């Protein structure tokens, strides 16, 4: 409401100035002035358009094209091309630049279950560094990767408590029971107090007692049976 009033006031002021100019200078000068203002507005619009095109081209060069090249290398399992690209961009990532591309590359490797390429990633930086660049690394592996990849990354130093959400909780509520089994066997079947306090989900016991939470009774039953045979869930 306040902004609308300010805009209306500005329009009234401009209209008043134009009427005053007409009375003082005549219509001819007002017309010239209007044409000059219109020309300036066109120039300003062209400058803004040029700036927008520049940022689009820059985004394409710094993210889209490299992302496509990385993605192609991952899909083809091309370790040579992947390593060359990684060496080229690793210095930028370490300095905090283009981290969206860094995260995209990690996710592509996980989703392709490309273990040789994950080894190459870990040769350039340890697992903890990659996790710091993608705070939900293990949760992403649970949702989109294999249990083997999950085990490998934990063995290499990724920590479940460093994740925003608990990987254990994410595995259970999404019925990723093989991933949950990996977490249980590696002593990672837990939800830290910090994770619970900031979680978007209710406490696990509450979820387990709420049949309406689950997509189907079969899913609910499978998770409950898994917990009964694998770990003891405490309140």
């Amino acid at each position: 409401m306040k902004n609308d009033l300010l805009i209306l006031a500005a329009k009234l002021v401009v209209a008043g100035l134009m009427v005053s100019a007409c009375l003082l200078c005549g219509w001819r000068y007002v017309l010239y002035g209007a044409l000059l203002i219109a020309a300036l507005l066109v120039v300003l619009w062209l400058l803004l358009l040029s700036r927008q095109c520049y940022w689009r081209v820059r985004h394409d060069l710094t993210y889209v094209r490299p992302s496509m090249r990385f993605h192609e290398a991952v899909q083809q399992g091309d370790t040579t091309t992947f390593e060359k690209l990684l060496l080229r961009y690793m210095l930028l990532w370490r300095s905090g630049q283009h981290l969206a591309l860094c995260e995209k590359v990690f996710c592509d490797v996980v989703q392709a279950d490309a273990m040789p390429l994950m080894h190459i990633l870990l040769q350039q930086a340890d697992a903890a560094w990659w996790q710091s660049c993608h705070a939900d690394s293990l949760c992403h592996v649970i949702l989109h990767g294999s249990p083997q990849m999950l085990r490998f990354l934990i063995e290499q130093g990724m920590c479940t408590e460093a994740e925003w959400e608990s990987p254990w909780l994410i595995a259970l509520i999404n019925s990723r029971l093989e991933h949950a089994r990996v977490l249980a066997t590696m002593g990672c079947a837990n939800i830290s107090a910090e994770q619970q306090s900031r979680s978007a989900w209710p406490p696990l016991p509450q979820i387990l007692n709420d049949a309406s939470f689950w997509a189907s009774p079969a899913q609910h039953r499978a998770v409950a049976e898994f917990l009964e045979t694998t770990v003891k869930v405490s309140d």
Side-chain angles (χ1 to χ4, degrees):
M1 179 65 71
K2 183 177 180 180
N3 290 336
D4 293 339
L5 291 175
L6 290 175
I7 293 172
L8 178 61
K11 289 180 178 179
L12 292 174
V13 169
V14 170
L17 290 174
M18 292 181 66
V19 171
S20 299
C22 290
L23 295 175
L24 293 174
C25 303
W27 288 102
R28 180 182 300 176
Y29 295 104
V30 173
L31 179 61
Y32 291 157
L35 291 174
L36 179 61
I37 292 173
L40 290 174
L41 289 175
V42 170
V43 171
L44 179 60
W45 177 76
L46 290 174
L47 288 174
L48 291 174
L49 184 63
S50 300
R51 183 174 182 271
Q52 186 177 14
C53 291
Y54 166 77
W55 284 111
R56 285 183 178 178
V57 171
R58 182 172 179 179
H59 175 72
D60 184 55
L61 293 174
T62 59
Y63 180 80
V64 178
R65 292 183 185 179
S67 177
M68 293 175 62
R69 295 181 65 192
F70 268 114
H71 184 74
E72 183 178 356
V74 170
Q75 294 302 308
Q76 296 177 355
D78 187 347
T79 56
T80 301
T81 300
F82 183 82
E83 189 166 13
K84 287 180 180 178
L85 288 168
L86 189 62
L87 290 173
R88 178 179 176 182
Y89 287 94
M90 199 67 202
L91 290 176
L92 293 174
W93 297 345
R94 283 187 174 276
S95 64
Q97 302 179 60
H98 309 319
L99 292 182
L101 177 61
C102 175
E103 182 175 336
K104 176 69 165 51
V105 171
F106 179 86
C107 292
D108 282 350
V109 173
V110 168
Q111 290 175 225
D113 198 26
M115 196 66 75
L117 300 185
M118 184 59 74
H119 280 280
I120 293 175
L121 288 180
L122 296 182
Q123 288 172 4
Q124 298 300 321
D126 60 23
W129 185 87
W130 288 103
Q131 190 174 23
S132 70
C133 293
H134 183 3
D136 297 314
S137 302
L138 295 178
C139 289
H140 185 83
V141 175
I142 289 168
L143 294 175
H144 304 286
S146 68
Q148 293 75 23
M149 182 69 77
L150 177 64
R151 178 183 295 277
F152 174 72
L153 291 175
I154 294 175
E155 288 175 345
Q156 294 302 309
M158 285 197 179
C159 176
T160 56
E161 293 189 352
E163 304 272 303
W164 182 265
E165 289 279 3
S166 164
W168 174 243
L169 176 63
I170 296 302
L172 292 177
I173 65 177
N174 288 281
S175 298
R176 301 294 197 271
L177 299 185
E178 290 305 312
H179 295 80
R181 197 180 309 279
V182 169
L183 294 172
T185 57
M186 301 189 75
C188 299
N190 54 65
I191 304 171
S192 71
E194 292 79 8
Q195 287 170 333
Q196 185 61 69
S197 66
R198 64 185 178 229
S199 178
W201 307 103
L204 182 56
Q206 182 178 335
I207 292 173
L208 293 172
N209 291 326
D210 183 4
S212 65
F213 176 87
W214 304 90
S216 68
Q219 186 185 64
H220 186 194
R221 184 166 55 253
V223 173
E225 290 175 355
F226 168 79
L227 291 170
E228 288 176 2
T229 58
T230 308
V231 294
K232 180 179 179 182
V233 180
S234 60
D235 293 339

